[in-house]
Amino acid sequence: MDIYLDANATTPVLPQARAAALAVMAESFGNPSSVHGTGLRARALLDRVRASARRVLDVPTGQMLFTSGATEGIQTAVLSALVHLRARRDAGDGDAPTLLLYGATEHKAVPAALKHWNQLLGLGLDVRPIPVGRDGLHDLAWLAEHAPRVGLVCTMAANNETGVISDLDGIAAALAHSPALWMVDSVQALGKLPLKLAQRRIDYAPFSGHKLYAPKGVGLLYVREGAPFTPLLTGGGQEGELRAGTENMAGIAALGAVLEALEDGQTFHDHARLQQHRQRLASALQEAFSGLVFNAPPERCLPTTLNFSVQGMASQRLIEALDAAGLHVSGGSACGAAQALPSYVLEAMGLPAWQAAAAVRLSFGAADDTALIDEACARIRACGATPSGLGLSAAQVRALMQRHPTPVLVDVREPHEQAVCEGTALAQGHACESAPLSRLPDHLADWLALPPEVPVVFFCQSGQRSTKAARALREQGHALAFSLQPADPRPAAATVPATPRPAPEASPH
Ligand code: PLP
């Protein structure tokens, strides 16, 4: 069974959320704008979920709008603030702000929205990142210095790559005498942190359902009472004319089930338990990989996120080693079309280039149980027992063979010494090639022509030649090359012929 440890990217849907969505699609399918019974039942559901969101987020006043997700919420908040700033400028307000600020580690949706609407509305304001320190926290002195000239400040509650929790009270203090509107992207905080939205004078807070066990395509936007608002979507007058479009009732029902689970406290672990889970995973990682460093101070981070780098190990290699053990984590770096780019978040924090390029993010869910975390720790330790993720135990190879029905097994021993070993035992019933290390160069082109997702596992008696072969193939560009590390290397016992590959041309070596 694969273990999913990429919850900051998205989460599975809670069973009760799935059931709620299905019930809406099957039975309570009404349009909440209709005035007959079917519509009124849908309307009642909408009102119930909104009320639950208000309780969970502790915001009795202001607007709580259903959206398609956080990107829409961010666009709406930025548009609203910028239309307000343009009105001030057009009214000849001599004190109209000149700056739009966003944290240097914000999700890209934020600077993209600021630049987009700044240009589209013809504002020409100066859009600038707020520097962050090595700990990922905003430079509050810098913010306070610029605060008098700012029209909108965007600072996330917690970072999606590192998990760093922003000092929202510090930011509020830096903005105390500023005219700035304030948006807090709260996507990664929901269910993990108390936000005190109303107490903190936050003007806009977008949320996303799929980061907390609801499906994709549903989200929330909180708008403080009295904060400027311009609809992004106009049309049929839904959501009190603030967000047009027939509501995504299945998504809203599912989100409602998640909010209910947050309210009843049965499904999600508390902060202390989540910290225990993270501590176990952190210890397993440190034991498994020497030279591992955490890229943000864990005590400043969400209790569900670990971002780390291992010296001398590219993030892709580390991800593949963990993947081979059935652990799904992600790169802490943004993937360009063809290559992994260093993480802009870690670069903004001023981490050394190798750390920013080698970063891996492990993020688990607030509902994951302790047994799953323990199994993940065991697999991490097993991964670390192999050299740099290149070597795999027989159990890991078996797991790999289950997940990839067509891995290529290669015996790199010379024909005269081929005898039963762990590799040949594993290869029972599976095609196995013979390619002695001395003839390796003749075979490389064939393996390099394989699709990149096909693993190639080399084996020999001791694990030494197979490690050389796997390393050579990786260096040539096939990332999923592994070496079977025998648990108990024994002398040859009986000769078992492997399926010979077509005889290569004689090579000088
Ligand atoms: N903000 C943060 C911090 C995120 O992590 C994400 C998703 O990755 C978003 C915004 C965008 O959310 P959505 O996928 O709901 O548009």
Side-chain angles (χ1 to χ4, degrees), residues 69-71 74 107 156 160 185 187-188 208 210-211:
T71 300
I74 291 165
H107 187 278
M156 64 202 331
N160 46 305
D185 172 347
V187 166
Q188 297 291 344
S208 177
H210 75 100
K211 306 288 181 170

